[in-house]
Amino acid sequence: FLTCHRFFRHYASFLPVLDAQTKPNSYYTQSPFLFWAVISVASRSYSRNPTLHTALAQEVTELAFLSVLSTCAPWYTIQGLLLLLTWPFPKENRPDVTFPLSGMLLHLAMQNGFHIPMSSHEFSRGKIPASSDLDMARRSELWAHCVLVYQRCVSYSFSTVAW
C-alpha cells in the first residue's frame, strides 16, 4: 500500500486519470492489471527495493496484453495502459512493446466509444442509458490522454528507429 501512496505523491499529478481517494484493494478488485500498473509505476522510485521495478516488468507487461481479454471494464484497462506507456519499463533485453501497447490503447478506447463521448453508449453491447454530462466530460478527458500518450509513444519510437 505504501507504493500506491508513492504513486499518488510522485506521479499522479502528471497524468491525473486515477482517484487518490480510492483504496488500493478497490483498484485490485476493479482490475488487477490497473492495480499492478500503479504498483509498477510507483516502484520506479522505491529505494528500499531498487530491483522491484525490473522484476515486475515481464509479468505486468503480460497482464497488459491479456487485459483486452479481461471482463473488467475497459475504462480500467485504458487507465492501466496509459500508466505503462507514460512510464514504461526499461527495455534492457526485452522487446520494445510500445507500438503494440499504444495501438491497443487507441483501438480499445475507440472500440468503446471514447472518441465520441456524446454517443459512447451506442458502442456498448448491452442497452445502457445515454451518458451524463459528467460522464461525457470524463470520457472526453480520458480520450484526450489516450491521443496524447499515443502520439508521444509513436513519435518517440519513430524518432529512435535507425534508418
Side-chain angles (χ1 to χ4, degrees), residues 138-152:
R138 290 178 63 215
R139 286 176 163 273
S140 296
E141 185 177 321
L142 196 61
W143 173 248
H145 286 298
C146 288
V147 171
L148 291 171
V149 168
Y150 174 81
Q151 288 178 337
R152 186 187 53 76

Side-chain angles (χ1 to χ4, degrees), residues 112-131:
N112 288 281
F114 283 77
H115 63 299
I116 309 173
M118 293 188 305
S119 302
S120 57
H121 62 282
E122 295 176 13
F123 288 80
S124 175
R125 292 181 191 258
K127 190 146 180 97
I128 60 171
S131 302

Side-chain angles (χ1 to χ4, degrees), residues 36-76:
W36 285 108
V38 169
I39 297 300
S40 67
V41 171
S43 70
R44 295 169 65 90
S45 61
Y46 192 58
S47 59
R48 289 188 185 167
N49 186 348
T51 62
L52 178 60
H53 186 63
T54 305
L56 291 172
Q58 182 71 32
E59 300 296 328
V60 176
T61 301
E62 288 175 10
L63 272 177
F65 282 109
L66 291 172
S67 66
V68 294
L69 302 173
S70 171
T71 57
C72 296
W75 181 272
Y76 305 123

